């Protein structure tokens, strides 16, 4: 099954058993739909290192793109807090595009493709490769993106 088809066919408010929800720490004051859907996992609107101080040890945390709207410096702070929580017995399942967060030591990284879900090494992720290539030669990448192929000038418009 393709990842995008699995997501689109999944109801927005998938019900999760009360046994599972007892292992997930949800803050009622920052999750606005908790009262309407107490056994669902709605999205927390924002996340940064300041929010993460509210997370405790021995938790299971499901994070969807926690890097959204965070600078690289803030992503590093979040990574540090994740490490503290892991050391305190917590586990994380994170959907991310951030090569900074993916770099966490001993993380299991899975990729979703038309062939299914597969484990992948950090340096083989598209996010790592694109970031590495851009930082190694931003001018070359900009030439390719803005002017066409390398060494080939883009036609004036």
């Amino acid at each position: 099954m393709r990842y995008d088809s699995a997501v689109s066919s999944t109801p927005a408010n998938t019900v999760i058993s009360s046994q599972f929800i007892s292992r997930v720490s949800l803050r009622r004051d920052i999750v606005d739909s908790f009262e309407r859907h107490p056994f669902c996992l709605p999205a927390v609107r924002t996340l940064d290192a300041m929010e993460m101080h509210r997370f405790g040890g021995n938790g299971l945390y499901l994070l969807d793109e926690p890097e959204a709207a965070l600078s690289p410096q803030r992503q590093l702070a979040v990574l540090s807090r994740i490490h503290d929580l892991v050391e305190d017995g917590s586990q994380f399942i994170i959907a991310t595009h951030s090569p900074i967060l993916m770099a966490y030591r001993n993380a299991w990284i899975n990729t979703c493709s038309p062939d299914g879900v597969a484990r992948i090494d950090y340096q083989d992720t598209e996010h790592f490769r694109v970031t590495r290539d851009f930082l190694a030669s931003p001018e070359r990448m900009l030439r390719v993106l803005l002017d066409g192929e390398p060494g080939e000038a883009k036609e004036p418009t």
Side-chain angles (χ1 to χ4, degrees):
M1 176 188 299
R2 291 189 54 197
Y3 173 73
D4 54 354
S5 64
V7 170
S8 63
S9 67
T10 303
N13 295 319
T14 302
V15 176
I16 298 174
S17 76
S18 59
Q19 292 174 333
F20 178 76
I21 203 72
S22 68
R23 295 280 300 144
V24 178
S25 175
L26 290 177
R27 292 283 316 278
R28 289 176 188 240
D29 61 322
I30 59 175
V31 179
D32 61 357
S33 63
F34 189 85
E35 292 302 320
R36 289 180 284 141
H37 310 286
F39 295 107
C40 297
L41 293 176
V44 174
R45 285 185 220 117
T46 61
L47 178 70
D48 64 16
M50 298 304 290
E51 284 292 325
M52 289 196 69
H53 82 278
R54 297 176 179 177
F55 290 17
N58 284 327
L60 171 63
Y61 298 99
L62 309 173
L63 305 178
D64 183 23
E65 297 184 353
E67 73 276 7
L70 295 182
S71 68
Q73 190 68 26
R74 291 264 189 193
Q75 290 181 46
L76 291 170
V78 167
L79 188 64
S80 177
R81 182 63 182 136
I82 287 172
H83 178 70
D84 292 343
L85 290 163
V86 167
E87 292 288 305
D88 202 15
S90 292
Q91 294 183 14
F92 288 82
I93 298 173
I94 304 173
T96 184
H97 298 280
S98 169
I100 292 173
L101 296 181
M102 281 188 233
Y104 186 78
R105 190 177 329 158
N106 298 319
W108 285 21
I109 301 172
N110 292 297
T111 187
C112 300
S113 73
D115 297 327
V117 178
R119 195 158 169 198
I120 188 171
D121 290 330
Y122 170 66
Q123 294 185 350
D124 292 333
T125 65
E126 177 183 9
H127 309 300
F128 172 83
R129 290 190 326 260
V130 168
T131 303
R132 178 200 59 207
D133 293 347
F134 182 83
L135 293 175
S137 182
E139 281 305 316
R140 178 189 162 285
M141 185 71 79
L142 290 172
R143 252 190 335 272
V144 170
L145 292 171
L146 306 178
D147 299 332
E149 292 300 312
E152 185 180 302
K154 188 174 182 179
E155 293 285 327
T157 57

